[in-house]
Amino acid sequence: MERELVLVLDFGGQYNQLIARRVRECNVYCEVHPCTMSLEEIRKRNPKGIIFTGGPNSVYGDDSPRCPKEMFELGIPILGICYGSQLMAYMLGGSVKTAPVSEYGKTEVEVDTSSVLFENVSEKTICWMSHTDYIEQAPADFAVTAHTPVCPVAAMENAAKKLYAVQFHPEVMHTREGMKMLSNFVYRVCGCKGDWKIESFVETTIRQIREKVGNGRVLCALSGGVDSSVAAVLMSRAVGRQLTCVFVDHGLLRKNEGDEVEAVFGPGSSYDLNFIRVNAQQRFYDKLAGVSEPEKKRKIIGEEFIRVFEEEAKKIGAVDFLVQGTIYPDVIESGLGKSAVIKSHHNVGGLPEHVEFREIIEPLRLLFKDEVRRAGLELGIPEYLVYRQPFPGPGLGVRIVGEVTADKVRIVQDADAIYREELAKAGCDKGLGQYFAALTNMRSVGVMGDERTYDYAVALRAVITSDFMTAEAAEIPYAVLSRVMNRIINEVKGVNRVLYDLTSKPPGTIEFE
């Protein structure tokens, strides 16, 4: 059976990924492509529907992105969002001008509930507006289906041709009934049945990998993060002992994390793969000795990781395939616009050049992060690995302000473990985007056991975020923070002060370096 597909054509909007995610939440497969995608390619893909994204341009600008007018004659349902709605109006004979009053933020919109797009939507609903231009007049054969006091065409449609447009953003959470609208579009307008299930993805991908690899040998760099872990297990299910996973423990992981990764994937585990753990902790500490500049630390850690991986790859010998844990946001952000499960090798970034392989396999390149996690659970990976928080590639190297030493690593590992344990015990970890302890380079005077101390200050960080582009400091109950402080000072040698970081992003970043 051919999989149902909805295409998102990107006109430069900041929410292109989010639109695709929302469509997939309706169990309908969705891909993002540039707005320059040809009509021939669109016909070949045979989508059930097309969504135009927003964008920063004005449709009447000379260099504004366009689509061929024939797009509207394909017979494929189209939903235009923000700039996409204005483009539809402009190209089909309507009028688009600079709005006398710009709208930004949550706005009450009055909708025509007889429209299939607004079925089961409140007559007055809150939507997220973000525009300086507006549709002054809809094309002659379009009906206006929503408006605000200052926006005469907040939505319009030509139901006969299945062309729909909304000035607001139904994909963002601030539009209270946006999911109803998108669901109405993909199901009621496009006629989708909803055949995109993670279970079928896992099954299909394993079969495709098995056919592709045959008797070949496969190499995977396993970090223990969710993406590489799920990719490794998928490969293991497909090719078993033909897979070798190299796990480089650079000594900058969280407390016991190296042992946890080995317990899941190493000897005696339920996964039928060759697992190699390289304990290179001291090697990394030696390279980082005396280095305090954040960017330099990052480069040293990254380069040394490659060197260790390179040495292990030489011992393994020639391999046919190399595995990467690339996920769909990486594909979209790189502008590749391709979405095959397995693609021919063209570039492997920082991986060793001498490793000989025919192709690169990216088994997760169709999935968003939440889908990767669901695939991990489907594959039986433990929840604590599947739902682990994002962790920077340089690890604790960027959670230790200043020079990295083995003793500082011990301090931040122990403090972080206490913090995470207490937050989980209090139930405060639910809903947090990220939380961790970091070691500042500040030392201060304290009094412990009637003696003077001169030790480090640990900073605690917890943020709430949906996209990691912006973040707010979480309001952790004072009693919990107090308990964490007491335990860290009493149990972690070298610490006599605990701070809580209230900085949002921006102006700060989530990590300290």
Side-chain angles (χ1 to χ4, degrees), residues 38-111:
S38 69
L39 293 176
E40 181 184 1
E41 181 64 19
I42 290 173
R43 288 191 188 98
K44 189 166 73 175
R45 299 301 303 277
N46 191 30
K48 300 283 284 185
I50 297 171
I51 299 177
F52 292 175
T53 74
N57 300 83
S58 294
V59 294
Y60 43 77
D62 293 337
D63 58 350
S64 298
R66 298 271 198 277
C67 67
K69 194 169 182 180
E70 293 81 0
M71 181 85 73
F72 302 104
E73 303 299 329
L74 292 175
I76 301 170
I78 298 176
L79 172 63
I81 294 175
C82 199
Y83 176 90
S85 71
Q86 296 165 11
L87 181 66
M88 186 183 293
Y90 183 78
M91 295 189 71
L92 297 180
S95 173
V96 177
K97 292 187 177 180
T98 302
V101 178
S102 298
E103 288 181 305
Y104 182 81
K106 294 179 181 178
T107 305
E108 185 176 78
V109 178
E110 192 168 337
V111 304

Side-chain angles (χ1 to χ4, degrees), residues 80-152:
I81 294 175
C82 199
Y83 176 90
S85 71
Q86 296 165 11
L87 181 66
M88 186 183 293
Y90 183 78
M91 295 189 71
L92 297 180
S95 173
V96 177
K97 292 187 177 180
T98 302
V101 178
S102 298
E103 288 181 305
Y104 182 81
K106 294 179 181 178
T107 305
E108 185 176 78
V109 178
E110 192 168 337
V111 304
D112 180 355
T113 56
S114 68
S115 166
V116 67
L117 194 66
F118 299 123
E119 188 175 297
N120 296 320
V121 173
S122 307
E123 289 185 2
K124 292 184 178 180
T125 185
I126 299 298
C127 300
W128 183 263
M129 289 283 193
S130 179
H131 65 99
T132 53
D133 289 344
Y134 78 147
I135 300 170
E136 182 185 52
Q137 186 173 351
D141 52 353
F142 276 69
V144 176
T145 54
H147 65 274
T148 74
V150 297
C151 184

Side-chain angles (χ1 to χ4, degrees), residues 205-341:
T205 304
I206 288 172
R207 185 176 66 250
Q208 289 177 333
I209 291 169
R210 204 170 277 155
E211 291 170 358
K212 186 71 176 178
V213 171
N215 296 321
R217 298 178 66 192
V218 185
L219 180 64
C220 175
L222 178 62
S223 70
V226 61
D227 298 338
S228 70
S229 295
V230 174
V233 174
L234 261 176
M235 296 304 301
S236 169
R237 289 284 175 86
V239 300
R241 303 292 292 180
Q242 294 164 243
L243 172 68
T244 298
C245 290
V246 177
F247 169 53
V248 178
D249 186 345
H250 51 28
L252 301 169
L253 300 172
R254 287 168 286 203
K255 188 171 185 178
N256 302 324
E257 199 157 35
D259 293 339
E260 289 172 356
V261 172
E262 183 171 2
V264 172
F265 297 103
S269 74
S270 58
Y271 301 113
D272 189 24
L273 53 80
N274 298 301
F275 177 85
I276 298 173
R277 176 176 178 175
V278 185
N279 292 312
Q281 295 92 332
Q282 193 57 51
R283 176 171 173 169
F284 278 82
Y285 298 157
D286 291 345
K287 287 284 184 179
L288 290 166
V291 179
S292 59
E293 203 277 318
E295 194 58 27
K296 192 172 180 181
K297 287 195 292 185
R298 286 179 178 272
K299 288 180 178 177
I300 288 171
I301 295 166
E303 182 178 348
E304 198 61 21
F305 181 91
I306 297 305
R307 299 285 78 81
V308 175
F309 185 85
E310 182 178 35
E311 291 166 12
E312 294 303 317
K314 281 181 180 177
K315 297 175 188 175
I316 295 166
V319 294
D320 301 291
F321 301 91
L322 193 65
V323 177
Q324 282 193 159
T326 307
I327 63 175
Y328 200 47
D330 303 328
V331 175
I332 295 171
E333 288 164 8
S334 69
L336 295 177
K338 296 183 180 179
S339 53
V341 175

Side-chain angles (χ1 to χ4, degrees), residues 30 44 50 62 74 166 170-171 204 209-210 241 256 266 285 305 350 357 361 364 397 408 418 448 509:
C30 188
K44 189 166 73 175
I50 297 171
D62 293 337
L74 292 175
V166 293
E171 71 275 17
T204 301
I209 291 169
R210 204 170 277 155
R241 303 292 292 180
N256 302 324
Y285 298 157
F305 181 91
F357 55 92
I361 298 178
L364 307 178
K408 287 182 177 180
I418 290 170
M448 296 174 69
T509 56

Side-chain angles (χ1 to χ4, degrees), residues 245-482:
C245 290
V246 177
F247 169 53
V248 178
D249 186 345
H250 51 28
L252 301 169
L253 300 172
R254 287 168 286 203
K255 188 171 185 178
N256 302 324
E257 199 157 35
D259 293 339
E260 289 172 356
V261 172
E262 183 171 2
V264 172
F265 297 103
S269 74
S270 58
Y271 301 113
D272 189 24
L273 53 80
N274 298 301
F275 177 85
I276 298 173
R277 176 176 178 175
V278 185
N279 292 312
Q281 295 92 332
Q282 193 57 51
R283 176 171 173 169
F284 278 82
Y285 298 157
D286 291 345
K287 287 284 184 179
L288 290 166
V291 179
S292 59
E293 203 277 318
E295 194 58 27
K296 192 172 180 181
K297 287 195 292 185
R298 286 179 178 272
K299 288 180 178 177
I300 288 171
I301 295 166
E303 182 178 348
E304 198 61 21
F305 181 91
I306 297 305
R307 299 285 78 81
V308 175
F309 185 85
E310 182 178 35
E311 291 166 12
E312 294 303 317
K314 281 181 180 177
K315 297 175 188 175
I316 295 166
V319 294
D320 301 291
F321 301 91
L322 193 65
V323 177
Q324 282 193 159
T326 307
I327 63 175
Y328 200 47
D330 303 328
V331 175
I332 295 171
E333 288 164 8
S334 69
L336 295 177
K338 296 183 180 179
S339 53
V341 175
I342 302 170
K343 69 177 177 65
S344 297
H345 165 60
H346 61 91
N347 176 36
V348 195
L351 291 174
E353 293 180 1
H354 78 276
V355 179
E356 296 179 4
F357 55 92
R358 294 201 312 268
E359 295 184 33
I360 179 170
I361 298 178
E362 297 171 322
L364 307 178
R365 73 188 320 270
L366 296 180
L367 304 186
F368 289 102
K369 178 70 81 173
D370 57 324
E371 294 172 324
V372 172
R373 295 189 195 280
R374 296 210 310 271
L377 293 176
E378 177 68 18
L379 289 162
I381 299 175
E383 282 196 17
Y384 69 84
L385 270 183
V386 169
Y387 287 107
R388 67 172 290 190
Q389 296 175 60
F391 192 60
L396 300 180
V398 291
R399 291 182 181 174
I400 296 171
V401 180
E403 182 184 9
V404 175
T405 66
D407 193 50
K408 287 182 177 180
V409 170
R410 187 236 350 133
I411 290 174
V412 76
Q413 281 180 335
D414 289 346
D416 181 72
I418 290 170
Y419 184 38
R420 288 188 287 128
E421 179 185 327
E422 289 296 334
L423 286 188
K425 194 184 298 182
C428 297
D429 55 333
K430 305 295 187 295
L432 296 180
Q434 205 163 335
Y435 54 97
F436 57 88
L439 184 64
T440 73
N441 60 354
M442 181 184 83
R443 298 181 75 183
S444 62
V445 173
V447 179
M448 296 174 69
D450 295 328
E451 292 186 3
R452 178 185 184 275
T453 62
Y454 188 62
D455 286 327
Y456 287 105
V458 162
L460 306 178
R461 184 87 162 122
V463 299
I464 298 171
T465 178
S466 59
D467 55 13
F468 290 88
M469 300 301 293
T470 61
E472 294 294 331
E475 294 186 21
I476 306 298
Y478 182 81
V480 176
L481 290 175
S482 181

